[in-house]
Amino acid sequence: MTRLTGRALRLTVFVGENDTWHHKPLYSEIVHRAHAAGLAGASVFRGVEGFGASSLIHTSRLLSLSEDLPVAVVIVDTEPRVRAFLPQLDELVTEGLVTLDDCEVILPPRLRSTGGTPTTGREDTRGETDAKGKRSL
């Protein structure tokens, strides 16, 4: 597994929950293609309410008849890798919105403070340990 840190590019694709690609959910096709392209990660988030170019509000409220809720696919990797993936989106996304944002990827606090990794469990041996087992640098 490649661990991404530092400057990165966040690609967000906003589509409808019912949008499809060859009878398969569009968001799923985007995630699978991102995985096949070796990108660092992708997640799908289902919205509870929203509207787009049609100005029709889609909502998950019980009394609403809309079931085509907004979906956001978020992919993060280095800028060259994300930009190399964009031509695949040209083929897939005919309606919706695609955005790019600069971002910074950081390690979770547990890994920053110990210098270890989840797979090795190695710890940073700098500093002294106090009575409660906390390290000072």
Side-chain angles (χ1 to χ4, degrees):
M1 174 174 84
T2 303
R3 188 165 301 278
L4 177 66
T5 59
R7 290 185 48 101
L9 196 62
R10 178 179 52 221
L11 166 68
T12 306
V13 183
F14 296 95
V15 295
E17 182 179 37
N18 292 337
D19 292 346
T20 60
W21 175 259
H22 294 261
H23 309 291
K24 180 179 178 181
L26 178 59
Y27 60 83
S28 180
E29 182 66 19
I30 294 169
V31 168
H32 283 85
R33 287 192 185 199
H35 183 260
L39 294 175
S43 297
V44 177
F45 300 95
R46 183 177 187 225
V48 295
E49 190 167 42
F51 70 93
S54 71
S55 293
L56 180 63
I57 294 180
H58 303 274
T59 181
S60 63
R61 287 180 288 182
L62 186 60
L63 298 176
S64 173
L65 297 177
S66 174
E67 294 179 3
D68 189 21
L69 294 171
V71 173
V73 181
V74 179
I75 299 169
V76 176
D77 206 323
T78 62
E79 182 172 354
R81 294 175 62 85
V82 169
R83 290 199 181 275
F85 183 69
L86 291 177
Q88 292 202 50
L89 291 181
D90 288 341
E91 177 186 1
L92 296 173
V93 181
T94 58
E95 294 181 5
L97 179 68
V98 178
T99 65
L100 293 172
D101 301 291
D102 290 321
C103 63
E104 183 178 354
V105 177
I106 60 172
L107 289 173
R110 178 176 68 90
L111 297 180
R112 278 186 301 208
S113 64
T114 64
T117 64
T119 54
T120 66
R122 291 183 297 211
E123 291 188 359
D124 187 350
T125 57
R126 297 175 292 167
E128 298 177 14
T129 304
D130 67 11
K132 293 182 181 178
K134 294 184 177 180
R135 287 193 194 282
S136 62
L137 298 177

